[in-house]
């Protein structure tokens, strides 16, 4: 996706974790997200926030700990790692509803490699109290219709936000489909920052349908299931 000029503007700056890179990110962005490569369900995600004078707030799950000193911070952060490679990204200032962040899951499918991708559903995932990850099961959050979430949020949403979400999702599916020709469906997670800009958080190649089952309107769920059967 980085090779796509349009998508470049919607991808957070990402590097492989090392202590040196963490300090560069902390100095440049203050809030840093550490994510296990190939992880899922929001598991193992850590946020490190620089508080000045070598004090760092480490947020994992619903637990927060203030650590003093770079060496002590590295020791503590790495003790939280799962046995995977970790990635670094600046924290996206996600839009919030009553102080809780949310992101958008877009379901994109195609019948086969020769046909075009189709957006078959989308919903908003609202984090539970005290969590920085929006995974509903992990944070005990809620699922909302996208339009409802945007309306209730603090996002400065322009008139073309929904169209831009569709454009980003379609472009991502096109690129990923070329790289993975047998791929038939993608659960794309997009963060919407407070200025109304979509950011690609991750692409799930085996997305669960449970999010769409939680919506009162089941039309997206039925459409997604129908596409899977073809």
């Amino acid at each position: 996706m980085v090779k796509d000029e349009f998508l470049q503007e919607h991808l957070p700056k990402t590097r492989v974790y090392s202590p040196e890179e963490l300090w560069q990110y902390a100095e440049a962005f203050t809030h840093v997200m550490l994510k296990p490569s190939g992880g899922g369900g929001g598991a193992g995600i850590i946020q490190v926030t620089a508080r000045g004078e070598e004090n760092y707030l480490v947020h994992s799950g619903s637990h927060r700990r203030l650590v003093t000193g770079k060496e002590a911070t590295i020791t503590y952060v790495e003790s939280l790692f799962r046995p995977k490679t970790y990635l670094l990204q600046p924290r996206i200032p996600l839009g919030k509803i009553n102080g809780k962040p949310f992101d958008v899951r877009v379901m994109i499918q195609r019948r086969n490699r020769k046909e075009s991708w189709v957006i078959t559903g989308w919903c908003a995932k609202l984090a539970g109290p005290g969590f920085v990850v929006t995974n509903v099961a992990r944070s005990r959050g809620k699922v909302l219709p996208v339009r409802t979430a945007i309306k209730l949020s603090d996002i400065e949403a322009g008139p073309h936000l929904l169209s831009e979400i569709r454009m980003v999702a379609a472009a991502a599916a096109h690129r990923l489909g070329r790289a993975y020709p047998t791929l038939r469906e993608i659960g794309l997670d997009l963060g919407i920052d407070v200025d109304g800009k979509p950011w690609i958080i991750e692409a799930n190649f085996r997305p669960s349908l449970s999010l769409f089952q939680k919506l009162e309107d089941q039309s997206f769920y039925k459409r997604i299931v129908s596409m899977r059967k073809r």
Side-chain angles (χ1 to χ4, degrees):
M1 290 189 287
V2 175
K3 297 177 182 179
D4 187 294
E5 289 188 13
F6 172 69
L7 290 177
Q8 285 175 10
E9 298 300 315
H10 298 276
L11 289 165
K13 183 178 181 181
T14 304
R15 292 183 183 172
V16 176
Y17 165 83
S18 71
E20 295 76 21
E21 293 284 4
L22 175 58
W23 303 134
Q24 288 184 26
Y25 267 55
E27 182 175 347
F29 305 112
T30 304
H31 304 279
V32 186
M33 304 302 295
L34 293 88
K35 302 179 179 181
S37 178
I45 294 178
I46 305 163
Q47 177 178 285
V48 177
T49 302
R51 288 292 186 88
E53 298 182 358
E54 292 199 359
N55 291 309
Y56 301 91
L57 181 64
V58 181
H59 193 165
S60 176
S62 61
H63 181 71
R64 304 183 188 201
R65 177 175 172 180
L66 185 65
V67 186
T68 300
K70 289 186 175 181
E71 185 175 346
T73 301
I74 291 295
T75 299
Y76 177 60
V77 165
E78 292 185 353
S79 75
L80 301 173
F81 281 7
R82 292 169 176 267
K84 293 180 182 241
T85 299
Y86 265 69
L87 304 176
L88 294 172
Q89 290 181 340
R91 187 192 71 179
I92 300 167
L94 294 177
K96 296 180 180 179
I97 300 173
N98 297 326
K100 293 176 286 189
F102 76 94
D103 64 16
V104 174
R105 164 64 60 86
V106 183
M107 193 72 174
I108 320 157
Q109 297 171 287
R110 62 180 177 179
R111 294 186 182 90
N112 56 61
R113 61 198 298 176
K114 295 181 180 179
E115 295 198 17
S116 299
W117 290 96
V118 179
I119 295 175
T120 50
W122 56 7
C123 62
K125 299 177 293 170
L126 179 65
F131 281 78
V132 295
V133 296
T134 55
N135 179 270
V136 172
R138 185 166 300 277
S139 71
R140 297 182 296 278
K142 295 181 179 180
V143 179
L144 300 170
V146 172
R147 287 181 174 84
T148 300
I150 292 173
K151 184 177 180 180
L152 294 175
S153 75
D154 58 357
I155 289 174
E156 295 292 335
H160 304 297
L161 175 56
L162 296 180
S163 296
E164 190 170 5
I165 291 173
R166 292 189 186 98
M167 289 174 61
V168 172
H174 177 70
R175 278 286 175 176
L176 292 170
R178 289 175 60 184
Y180 302 91
T182 60
L183 192 63
R184 288 189 55 208
E185 63 181 23
I186 303 167
L188 190 70
D189 287 334
L190 296 176
I192 314 298
D193 68 23
V194 292
D195 296 320
K197 179 178 179 178
W199 293 89
I200 296 174
I201 297 176
E202 66 180 23
N204 302 277
F205 289 177
R206 293 186 295 274
S208 169
L209 301 190
S210 61
L211 292 172
F212 296 95
Q213 288 178 295
K214 296 178 186 296
L215 291 172
E216 183 177 348
D217 183 349
Q218 290 289 288
S219 57
F220 283 150
Y221 175 73
K222 292 176 181 177
R223 187 180 184 192
I224 294 166
V225 171
S226 176
M227 181 69 84
R228 278 187 169 183
K229 290 179 180 178
R230 295 177 181 178

